[in-house]
Amino acid sequence: MIKSVRSSAIIAAVAALFLITLTTVIIAVQRQHAEPAAEGITPAMPAAPAPAPTTSPSQASALVLASSEKPGLYRADGTEHPLHADHPVTGKTLLAADFGADPADNGTDDTEAINAAIKAAQSGDEVLLSNGVYNLIRTLPADKTANIELKSGVNLRGESQDGVILRSYLDQPDSNTRVIKALGVDSILISHLTVSSDFKGKYPTDRTANNPDRGGPLVGIYIEDASSRGSRQITIDHVTVEKYQRMGVRISRSHDVIVRNSLFRDATDLGGGGAGYGVVMQGIPKVSRSGFENDSYFNVVENSRFKGPYIRHGVLIQYLSHNNAVRNNTFQSTALDSIDLHGEGEYLNEIHHNAISGVITGAGIGLGNTGGTPPNNHSASGPGNFIHHNTIAGSRSGITVSMGSPDTIIENNMITGSAVKNGTGVTVMNGPGTIVRNNTIRDNIADGFWGIALLSDPGDKSNNGLGAGIPDGVRITGNIVTHNTNGVKIAQGTNILVQGNDIRDNVRDNFVDQPAAK
């Protein structure tokens, strides 16, 4: 078996060229802060790595650059980036009830009381909500689009994740409404509560059209920069987000934000234009902010659950967001790709040790995307994204690479149990330099299923075929492709290497090489 490994220097050069190109394009474009448009047999997988070391907020105050060569949580000097520790309570615990918040579900507005407690708190304090339902009927005095505003150094904690309900009455379709906002702030722990709404309409059944009954706030928790200063060192832990239109948690132009042990479900819309996402990590469309305080990097989503069918994408990364980690999460029956690298130049992200099941339309993990409106149209993901040790079961397709997304590494994933017609384990279309190695694809018995398929990419037909092409320089090595309907198909491609794979005992064709792989 011969392993093909791309040098870090090549990936770094490609990443640099990618950023230069995108930055040049934007000179003629006005900058905008736009909204973004299991079953089966599974063998034992390698254990997930231990959590990264942590650092205190005071130790992490200086801006640290990310690696341009290594995917995931690595710094420019090659060392692992430590996660920040949860912001500790060093001062007082302020009870929201003491400021007039009423946990009884009696229609009393609790917005002013909760914000008063946050305003009164000092850095190191926490605001505590006892179990109950808190009705957020009004908005902030200076912002009619938000219920609660967070403050640097002040934690917001509920007594329990299921027992504390923040029920928002925000219900304006297509307006930038959010239950909790955090703009240019740092050192906050949000924990043990549910962010919900008063939505009583019908949930969506059609992912191709916006739900006419959609309601609730656009965003549950909205984290963003202020005056080009990104929010940072924020942890969301044991939080449920539900009954929102677009995004459960939006992490925009910010870094060192952790979402862990949380639950996302029941979005009220699944249509186009950015509806029904769980967690979004994003920068600025087609503008690199590397080296700036509001760059989007070193964000983590871990140990969380994304429960369909009323979730379009579980985690979405876009707008040159980079060096993030999505790990150890569970995704169930999302409407489209559970983890979506959205085709907006996102690069060097690490997606690993996730369990994905029941994705009937789309893929478990997708890189590159069609759609959007120029100049913010989707196309290729950026270089060097690393997809490894994920288990994808009972889904139509496992992992897809398209639209010219370069130098993706797909390694040590398990794809099994597909029973959906014409599915694939790994599909590479226009994905130059993709490495597919040491994956196990087995026991997928649906009609027309292929374990690995290299296909022509038609690109985005609505944008003059943007992203069209064929696989080039793809390396397929060390994979186990057995007991499927079909094995490996090279329908299109140049400079393709297929070597050292175990391709056998598939029902129909084990290997089809139409352009003669070399």
Side-chain angles (χ1 to χ4, degrees), residues 201-476:
K202 295 179 180 179
Y203 283 98
T205 58
D206 184 0
R207 62 175 179 77
T208 65
N210 292 111
N211 180 16
D213 261 8
R214 65 189 181 275
L218 252 66
V219 181
I221 301 175
Y222 185 99
I223 300 171
E224 193 163 277
D225 65 343
S227 301
S228 297
R229 180 182 185 272
S231 293
R232 62 196 187 277
Q233 295 156 35
I234 296 175
T235 303
I236 299 170
D237 191 7
H238 284 95
V239 171
T240 297
V241 188
E242 63 182 15
K243 299 183 180 181
Y244 58 91
Q245 295 182 50
R246 290 196 175 180
M247 306 173 209
V249 173
R250 181 183 193 262
I251 305 168
S252 181
R253 306 191 292 273
S254 299
H255 60 90
D256 291 277
V257 178
I258 301 171
V259 179
R260 63 161 61 107
N261 304 320
S262 293
L263 171 63
F264 298 84
R265 64 188 179 193
D266 295 344
T268 67
D269 192 11
L270 297 178
Y277 302 163
V279 177
V280 174
M281 293 175 271
Q282 63 180 46
I284 300 174
K286 298 183 173 58
V287 177
S288 172
R289 296 298 293 169
S290 181
F292 290 86
E293 183 62 43
N294 64 346
D295 193 11
S296 174
Y297 69 116
F298 289 159
N299 299 304
V300 177
V301 181
E302 63 182 6
N303 302 320
S304 293
R305 184 181 175 194
F306 299 82
K307 183 181 179 182
Y310 306 122
I311 294 287
R312 184 179 176 94
H313 299 297
V315 174
L316 185 142
I317 308 175
Q318 64 177 356
Y319 298 163
L320 282 90
S321 189
H322 62 99
N323 293 92
N324 303 295
V326 180
R327 61 193 187 189
N328 303 315
N329 301 287
T330 300
F331 300 82
Q332 298 171 298
S333 303
T334 57
L336 288 174
D337 303 352
S338 290
I339 302 173
D340 187 41
L341 280 68
H342 209 47
E344 293 280 357
E346 54 284 344
Y347 64 98
L348 288 172
N349 297 288
E350 187 175 13
I351 314 297
H352 65 101
H353 290 94
N354 299 285
I356 301 170
S357 63
V359 183
I360 305 304
T361 306
I365 302 169
L367 297 93
N369 214 329
T370 60
T373 303
N376 295 328
N377 51 283
H378 311 317
S379 56
S381 298
N385 293 297
F386 187 19
I387 316 298
H388 66 98
H389 291 100
N390 301 284
T391 300
I392 304 171
S395 299
R396 182 182 186 275
S397 297
I399 302 166
T400 63
V401 183
S402 65
M403 297 291 292
S405 303
D407 298 304
T408 304
I409 300 175
I410 301 170
E411 179 179 85
N412 285 314
N413 299 283
M414 161 61 72
I415 302 169
T416 188
S418 176
V420 184
K421 187 176 180 179
N422 296 327
T424 54
V426 175
T427 302
V428 181
M429 295 189 285
N430 186 3
T434 300
I435 295 172
V436 182
R437 67 183 175 209
N438 300 340
N439 300 283
T440 298
I441 305 169
R442 75 182 199 189
D443 300 314
N444 299 282
I445 58 172
D447 186 39
F449 183 92
W450 285 90
I452 300 174
L454 271 56
L455 308 173
S456 177
D457 194 332
D460 189 347
K461 296 178 181 179
S462 65
N463 281 310
N464 299 314
L466 178 69
I470 62 173
D472 179 66
V474 177
R475 302 293 182 259
I476 302 172

Side-chain angles (χ1 to χ4, degrees), residues 64-70 74-79 81 298 323:
V64 176
L65 298 180
S67 173
S68 61
E69 301 179 357
K70 298 180 70 173
Y74 286 92
R75 295 179 169 183
D77 62 6
T79 61
H81 179 69
F298 289 159
N323 293 92

